[in-house]
Amino acid sequence: MSEYNFSQIEKKWQEVWEKEGVYHSDPDPKRPKYYVLEMFPYPSGRIHMGHVRNYTLGDIIARVKRMKGYNVLHPMGWDAFGLPAENAALKHGVHPADWTFSNIAYMKAQLKKLGFSYDWRREITTCTPDYYRFEQKFFIEMYERGLAYRKKTLVNWCPKDQTVLANEQVEDGRCWRCGTEVTTKEMEGWFLKITAYAEELLQDLDKLEGKWPEKVITMQRNWIGKSVGAEIKFFVPDLEEDLIVYTTRPDTLFGATFVALSPEHEMAKKLAEKKGLKAKLEEFIEKVRKERRAIEEGRAEKEGLFLETFAVNPLTKEHIPIFAANFVLMEYGTGAIMCVPAHDQRDFEFAKKYGLPIRVVITPKDKVLKAEELESAYEDPGILINSNEFSGLWSEEAKERIIAKLEELSLGKKKVTYRLRDWGVSRQRYWGCPIPIVYCERCGIVPERIENLPVVLPLNVQIDKTGKSPLPYLEDFVNTTCPRCGGRARRETDTFDTFVESSWYFLRFASPDPELPFRKEDIEYYLPVDQYIGGIEHAILHLLYARFFTKVLRDLGYINFDEPFEKLLTQGMVIKETYRCPVHGWIYPEEVSSDGKCLKDGCGEKVEVGKPEKMSKSKCNVVDPDEMIKKYGADTVRLFIAFAAPPEKDLEWSDHGIEGAFRFLKRLYSLISSYADELREVELKEEELKELSDKLLKLRRKLHQTIKKVHIDFEERLHFNTGIAAIMEFLNHLQDTLKELSPDDLKDHKAKILLKEVFIKTLLLLSPVCPHICEELWEKLGGEGRIVNAKFPTFDPTLLKEETFVLVVQVNGRVRDQVEVPADITKEKALELALSLPKVKKFVEGKSIKNVVFVPQKLINIVV
RNA sequence: GCGGGAGUGGCGGAAUGGUAGACGCUCCGGACUUAGGAUCCGGUGGGGAUUUCCCCGUGAGGGUUCAAGUCCCUCCUCCCGCACCA
């Protein structure tokens, strides 16, 4: 019997498949397509188990669909721009491009070793001009349509490094690189007007219902954050102008006892100027900026600065004080709010602190609220009081009526607001796609001409110790001529946020044309992506940006669909248990003795076994895919990963678990190998599989039941763990059956045909998960062609039906016995039989039968 | 605080309202062996009776039902996301 030599088998078939180009896909209008896409990786150096899981899940889906007759597009590429390349350059003195491309080469080899069914001809590397030139084109077209614009905003700024920091580069209010306290700074930058699509992005989430995880849909809804309210004008006599506030509770207008502005609000500045509070306000702004983080986390106390003037409530005509307050956000609504302490907790706290009046205008049905007795704001709906002609109305109706009244008086209007902000795409980074804009001394902002694209990112640069982008200092790059007037001009030196590249790569995969971003007919054939797979961490940003780009490209006339990803699967993390020594902190499993002591430096302290956590170097719980492939082979790694948990749950890596998967494949290999010679020439004529002996019929039935189960689990439920369990169960049953049969039984021709069917179909079922071993055994068994090109087995429905079943006999809902009975047994017969069973008699005797429930094919329940 | 998800053996996890614990791991026993961390066979939720029997058991409590892990109500715990968004 031959050994399962996985490394030889895997190498052999990977070469064959590559040579034969079995995974290539080209548009073919005669065949149905299926586009399977996994989120492409950032080329950080090596792939990790999270990637292995993501790509294994995608590969299984792609292979199942191929076997079901679809023309499957399954591509892979590299999200190759990004900050880590610059950090590597800083640390190791290697150029970001060299670092990136060598990482890509290494990781590509790793993916190939895992046997993924990618059409590598379609590989994309986003840091090449071939790719990003089209991104620049889209940007210019967006600019021309007013969808890209330049504005000043507040950014995180590290005063030491003199650089802008992304939110995720700020750790506890400090710069991640140098630890300096981060401040905010106003800076100019480019923005994409995603807010113009807020309503459509929200509405179209309904189309994804049932196809995307509910969680992701909810997260996006919250992120877009639609709220319906009103803008209301409060006249400010001191300035003789209106202050416009935004509120979702116009019904509480009569309870407004003050108004609050964001400290950065224009009117706050004007009023401060007028009242001689300029210094105080600036001090306040500075303080609020510093506390920004604490404020965002809700840790800072509410604080305000009275601007020594008043605003007029448009309906009551009351004069109420104006404050600048730290809890009012400039970026949301109008940056100004009316404050109703009785019905808003934040206003309540502020009012208590500054001794401002609290007036109840909404009251629940059953009791009367008194302002002086309130311990917190009453925020629920209720009935209006103290509100003139609106008193007595239910708050929901009052909202409409008060808005109507304000509109009639031109003092306010209904207003929809979104939490979603425009997408800031400027990065003061080197390793990114250049923003194709020129600043002309005469013409101002001018987009580069389309025919001059790409604006190539210069590679002849030195990354210096400050980590600052070298682009602004590259005279050759910066100095240019104006595309419009030909005069002197300077290039934009910011680059795009890397989320821009990943917002359209799925389109490029379908049509890698050298001259066009993509050909329309290719897009029409392959898109949208049928199944997208990736981590939940991209639930909001990437997926929202990609949805936005899809809609923009649609409106620019490139494509004709609304949503890029038909179905979405978000896989869980790969986690592993951790070990912690009281002296050494996190330690590797190898550093723990068999009796749980720390072996590091002869330490000997008792090691704490921590709960499983996401794999990370710092926690010493990383498992290297290369090592696993070397030890067990790609098929075993894939099998374990698909088997250990359903895709959406976290997967706990287990060294014992992978041994189990390895054992299963060894068992499969030796079993089929031992019959291979005998069965190779046997022709699989299913029509001869009639009048089988009981045991063989049972085996065949079990096979077809397994095919059905695997079909459902692999193609519909995407629960590969239970599908694989069914295959394992079948193999167990097969081995039991083989043990029971005599050598003579197996010499029978029919038995041989059946065995051939059983083996061939088992291999077909397992091949999406473990393609190499299945291809090898397929060849040994004399299978036709390549298993990777074979059809998924179908089941014979007539075979599924059992002639008998095990009837569960219950008395008062408790199982008392079970007995094998004909499948078509009647209720009467079943009852008669049940009552004759001694174990049942025991519980029924001497009692009267009140009811009998009979479930065909299942059970009988006798109620006494 | 708001939103989402989950609580099932020693562990990962199975169960269209119909035998709870499939499949795998671990552990225990046995076989083969110079050896076993290879392989094969058997057992493995808890408690009691000890051969084939009974009771208990899906986070807690209640309800609907002939029948509940599954449906309904109340509560507890954990995880994730968002969070002064007016």
Side-chain angles (χ1 to χ4, degrees), chain A residues 521-535:
Chain A
E521 62 272 24
D522 294 344
I523 297 295
E524 272 167 19
Y525 179 70
Y526 278 124
L527 271 287
V529 174
D530 294 279
Q531 178 71 62
Y532 197 30
I533 308 143

Side-chain angles (χ1 to χ4, degrees), chain A residues 263 284-303 325-329:
Chain A
F284 187 53
I285 290 175
E286 199 47 46
K287 186 170 180 208
V288 172
R289 275 189 189 173
K290 274 197 186 140
E291 282 179 352
R292 203 180 169 78
R293 244 195 136 62
I295 291 169
E296 273 167 10
E297 281 158 20
R299 285 188 278 111
E301 205 182 317
K302 301 213 170 10
E303 207 180 331
N326 65 346
F327 67 95
V328 182
L329 306 173

Side-chain angles (χ1 to χ4, degrees), chain A residues 613-630:
Chain A
E613 299 202 54
K614 181 174 180 171
M615 287 187 177
S616 78
K617 277 188 195 133
S618 62
K619 292 194 178 120
C620 301
N621 64 343
V622 176
V623 177
D624 179 25
D626 277 352
E627 270 176 44
M628 292 299 116
I629 295 167
K630 201 168 166 207

Side-chain angles (χ1 to χ4, degrees), chain A residues 664 667-668 671 727-735 762:
Chain A
F664 172 76
R667 197 150 59 92
L668 177 80
L671 174 69
I727 299 172
M728 290 175 166
E729 195 179 339
F730 178 69
L731 194 75
N732 293 343
H733 177 81
L734 171 62
Q735 290 195 304
T762 303

Side-chain angles (χ1 to χ4, degrees), chain A residues 404-419:
Chain A
K405 174 92 178 182
L406 289 168
E407 283 178 347
E408 194 187 307
L409 300 170
S410 297
L411 289 170
K413 61 179 183 199
K414 188 169 178 175
K415 171 84 180 175
V416 175
T417 300
Y418 301 89
R419 204 186 76 109

Side-chain angles (χ1 to χ4, degrees), chain A residues 309-485:
Chain A
T309 188
F310 299 85
V312 181
N313 183 319
L315 293 189
T316 64
K317 302 299 176 195
E318 219 177 339
H319 286 234
I320 57 177
I322 304 177
F323 284 83
N326 65 346
F327 67 95
V328 182
L329 306 173
M330 191 59 227
E331 303 84 1
Y332 186 76
T334 60
I337 58 173
M338 66 175 204
C339 298
V340 186
H343 305 294
D344 183 290
Q345 186 57 28
R346 297 156 300 187
D347 302 347
F348 182 83
E349 287 167 24
F350 193 88
K352 282 279 174 193
K353 180 167 173 178
Y354 291 98
L356 295 160
I358 297 171
R359 187 184 310 139
V360 174
V361 291
I362 305 279
T363 186
K365 271 191 190 138
D366 45 346
K367 62 176 179 190
V368 178
L369 298 176
K370 291 209 178 102
E372 57 279 13
E373 287 167 11
L374 281 181
E375 282 176 16
S376 64
Y378 176 78
E379 296 184 329
D380 293 333
I383 294 160
L384 269 71
I385 55 169
N386 301 327
S387 301
N388 292 354
E389 73 258 43
F390 304 102
S391 293
L393 289 176
W394 184 245
S395 44
E396 284 311 306
E397 198 195 339
K399 280 181 187 173
E400 300 297 324
R401 298 272 291 268
I402 289 177
I403 291 172
K405 174 92 178 182
L406 289 168
E407 283 178 347
E408 194 187 307
L409 300 170
S410 297
L411 289 170
K413 61 179 183 199
K414 188 169 178 175
K415 171 84 180 175
V416 175
T417 300
Y418 301 89
R419 204 186 76 109
L420 183 70
R421 317 265 165 80
D422 278 338
W423 174 15
V425 291
S426 288
R427 297 289 179 271
Q428 290 71 35
R429 306 299 341 165
Y430 163 66
W431 194 236
C433 170
I435 298 178
I437 289 288
V438 163
Y439 301 99
C440 169
E441 288 171 2
R442 213 172 323 160
C443 314
I445 297 171
V446 183
E448 188 51 89
R449 283 170 186 272
I450 300 286
E451 57 269 31
N452 290 345
L453 297 182
V455 175
V456 177
L457 181 72
L459 296 178
N460 58 331
V461 298
Q462 201 74 49
I463 306 288
D464 71 23
K465 287 185 286 300
T466 64
K468 274 201 279 190
S469 168
L471 288 182
Y473 309 97
L474 273 188
E475 298 293 323
D476 287 355
F477 178 74
V478 175
N479 295 326
T480 185
T481 51
C482 172
R484 193 174 296 158
C485 72

Side-chain angles (χ1 to χ4, degrees), chain A residues 598-666:
Chain A
C598 177
L599 296 173
K600 208 167 180 174
D601 313 328
C603 162
E605 286 283 343
K606 194 159 166 39
V607 172
E608 219 180 288
V609 179
K611 60 169 187 178
E613 299 202 54
K614 181 174 180 171
M615 287 187 177
S616 78
K617 277 188 195 133
S618 62
K619 292 194 178 120
C620 301
N621 64 343
V622 176
V623 177
D624 179 25
D626 277 352
E627 270 176 44
M628 292 299 116
I629 295 167
K630 201 168 166 207
K631 195 165 173 194
Y632 302 106
D635 281 337
T636 295
V637 172
R638 296 167 56 119
L639 177 65
F640 172 68
I641 258 186
F643 175 67
E648 60 279 6
K649 281 186 80 166
D650 284 351
L651 182 152
E652 189 177 339
W653 187 270
S654 151
D655 295 333
H656 291 297
I658 192 162
E659 291 276 356
F662 190 44
R663 247 191 316 265
F664 172 76
L665 291 187
K666 281 193 285 193

Side-chain angles (χ1 to χ4, degrees), chain A residues 141-158:
Chain A
E141 289 173 24
M142 286 166 87
Y143 175 77
E144 281 162 356
R145 293 215 171 192
L147 289 172
Y149 65 96
R150 203 169 150 76
K151 76 166 176 189
K152 263 192 186 165
T153 50
L154 284 176
V155 293
N156 299 309
W157 179 258
C158 173

